[in-house]
Amino acid sequence: MNVLLTGSSGWLGRHLAPLLESDGHRVVGLDVAPGPHTMLLGSVDDRDLIARAFRDHAIDAVIHGVALHQPDIARYPKQRFVDVNVSATLGLLEEAVAAKVDRFVFTSSTSLMISAAIREGRGEAAAWIDETLAPLAPRNIYGATKLAAERLCRLIHDEHGLSVVILRTSRFFPEEDDQAHVIGLSGPNTKANELLHRRLTAQDAAEAHRVALARAPDIGFGLFVISAPTPFARADAAALKQDAARVIAGYFPDAPELYARRGWTLPRSIDRVYDAGLAERVLGFRCRTDFSGLLDVLRRDDPLPFSHDPGYVSPQAASRMNG
C-alpha cells in the first residue's frame, strides 16, 4: 500500500516508517522538518498540500501521527492547536474519503483522559484508566483538541464507513518529564517507574500502529489505550496510592535490590494506572517491553529498553526555532 504518514520526521515516525517499509508498503512521509522518510515538506493543515499528496501518490491508507503536543502549549496559541490537531485531522479524513482510502489510523493520547482531579492525585485510590473512563474532561488545549479530533474520526466513520483505528498512546517521548523538578528522580528512573502504569517504548508505539494499519478493515472502528501491560489489578488501586513500593515488591520481590544497585527509587505513590487490556483482546497487540522485562535487563546489566534524551526537540519546535 501507499501509506501517507504524517509526522514522518518525528519520534514516532522515525521508528514507524522502517516497519512499514519492511512490510512492503511505500511510505509517503509528510512533516514540517526534513528526515530520511519525509517526502513532502509542509504543514499538515495546508489543505492544498494534503490534496496533492492524495492525488499525486495514489494514497491507499493514512497514519496520522503529527500533532502539537503538551510541551507546545508554551510555544503556540490555542488557535494553532485547533488548526493542527482538529482542522487538519478533518481535512485528512475528508481527503481520505474523497480518495476512497481503505483505512485511517489516528495517533491520539491518554492525556485527554486526565482531568484536573486525576492530575492532582485527588482521592484515596489510583485512578484505573481504560476506554470506559467517563466523562472525559481534558485539562488543557492539547487534550481538548485531541478529543475533538477523535470525535471527528468517529463521525467520518459513521457517515462514510471509513475504517478508523484510534490509538490513545501513553508516554513514549524521550525527553525529560516536564515535572522533573517536582518528581526529584533521574529521567531513566522516572521512565522505568512509568513502565508499571503509564509508559511504553517508542518501538512498541510503532508496532501498535503497524498492527492497527493491518487490522483496521476487520475492526471497522476501534479506540484503544496503548501502554505497557500493567502488573497491577484493580483491587490494588487503594494500596498503590498509599504505598506503591510495597505493592511492587509483592509482585517483584527483587525489585528493591535491583533498583538500589542503580541508585534508583521505586515510586512511593501511584495516582493512575493505564489498562491496555482491550488492545490485547481486540486489536491483538501487546507491548513487548514491560516492567518485568525491565527488571530482566537490570539483572543482566544490559542497556535500558527505552530512550532518554533530555535534549530532544520535536520537528515542530525545531522548525519554529529555525524559522
Side-chain angles (χ1 to χ4, degrees):
M1 290 188 295
N2 293 333
V3 181
L4 177 61
L5 173 62
T6 71
S8 51
S9 298
W11 187 241
L12 173 64
R14 70 179 65 173
H15 289 88
L16 176 55
L19 289 182
L20 299 176
E21 291 177 344
S22 72
D23 287 339
H25 301 307
R26 174 173 174 261
V27 175
V28 180
L30 184 151
D31 208 306
V32 296
H37 302 284
T38 296
M39 185 182 302
L40 305 173
L41 278 176
S43 178
V44 73
D45 68 328
D46 182 340
R47 186 66 178 260
D48 290 339
L49 174 63
I50 297 301
R52 289 197 304 274
F54 280 89
R55 183 183 65 247
D56 296 346
H57 297 281
I59 299 301
D60 301 300
V62 178
I63 299 180
H64 181 25
V66 75
L68 291 185
H69 295 277
Q70 188 165 315
D72 295 311
I73 292 174
R75 306 182 185 113
Y76 295 94
K78 289 182 174 63
Q79 183 61 54
R80 190 61 187 149
F81 276 80
V82 173
D83 295 341
V84 173
N85 293 0
V86 183
S87 298
T89 301
L90 177 59
L92 279 164
L93 288 163
E94 290 180 337
E95 294 293 341
V97 169
K100 301 187 185 308
V101 160
D102 185 52
R103 61 199 77 182
F104 192 104
V105 178
F106 177 61
T107 310
S108 191
S109 170
T110 52
S111 179
L112 66 83
M113 308 171 78
I114 306 306
S115 64
I118 295 174
R119 169 79 167 184
E120 295 166 9
R122 301 176 200 168
E124 297 181 355
W128 197 267
I129 299 174
D130 63 14
E131 295 81 359
T132 66
L133 182 71
L136 297 179
R139 68 186 187 279
N140 57 35
I141 189 63
Y142 171 55
T145 52
K146 293 301 279 187
L147 181 56
E150 282 191 2
R151 289 175 172 165
L152 288 172
C153 288
R154 180 73 210 215
L155 179 66
I156 296 301
H157 165 76
D158 290 344
E159 290 182 346
H160 300 281
L162 176 64
S163 296
V164 178
V165 175
I166 297 170
L167 303 181
R168 286 182 180 169
T169 59
S170 66
R171 295 178 162 203
F172 62 90
F173 57 77
E175 60 261 44
E176 202 75 70
D177 188 282
D178 60 358
Q179 295 294 305
H181 61 290
V182 176
I183 297 170
L185 301 178
S186 71
N189 189 170
T190 299
K191 288 179 171 61
N193 288 352
E194 289 175 344
L195 279 174
L196 286 159
H197 64 113
R198 62 180 301 193
R199 177 168 285 275
L200 73 162
T201 66
Q203 291 79 7
D204 278 332
E207 180 64 22
H209 285 73
R210 179 194 201 183
V211 172
L213 183 71
R215 295 273 292 125
D218 295 328
I219 291 172
F221 180 87
L223 187 155
F224 304 99
V225 169
I226 304 294
S227 193
T230 181
F232 307 128
R234 284 179 183 264
D236 296 321
L240 286 170
K241 190 67 176 294
Q242 302 304 318
D243 190 352
R246 178 178 61 81
V247 178
I248 296 163
Y251 282 97
F252 307 102
D254 64 341
E257 178 186 351
L258 292 170
Y259 261 50
R261 292 179 192 171
R262 289 260 176 169
W264 287 358
T265 302
L266 288 168
R268 293 187 295 273
S269 177
I270 288 176
D271 62 3
R272 72 196 77 169
V273 177
Y274 296 139
D275 182 349
L278 184 68
E280 185 170 353
R281 296 189 301 272
V282 177
L283 185 61
F285 171 76
R286 178 185 174 94
C287 289
R288 294 178 181 174
T289 299
D290 58 11
F291 189 74
S292 178
L294 169 71
L295 294 183
D296 287 340
V297 165
L298 297 183
R299 292 185 189 103
R300 298 190 300 265
D301 200 27
D302 286 345
L304 295 174
F306 51 78
S307 300
H308 177 67
D309 180 5
Y312 176 78
V313 178
S314 71
Q316 285 275 5
S319 175
R320 182 178 175 86
M321 289 186 293
N322 294 334

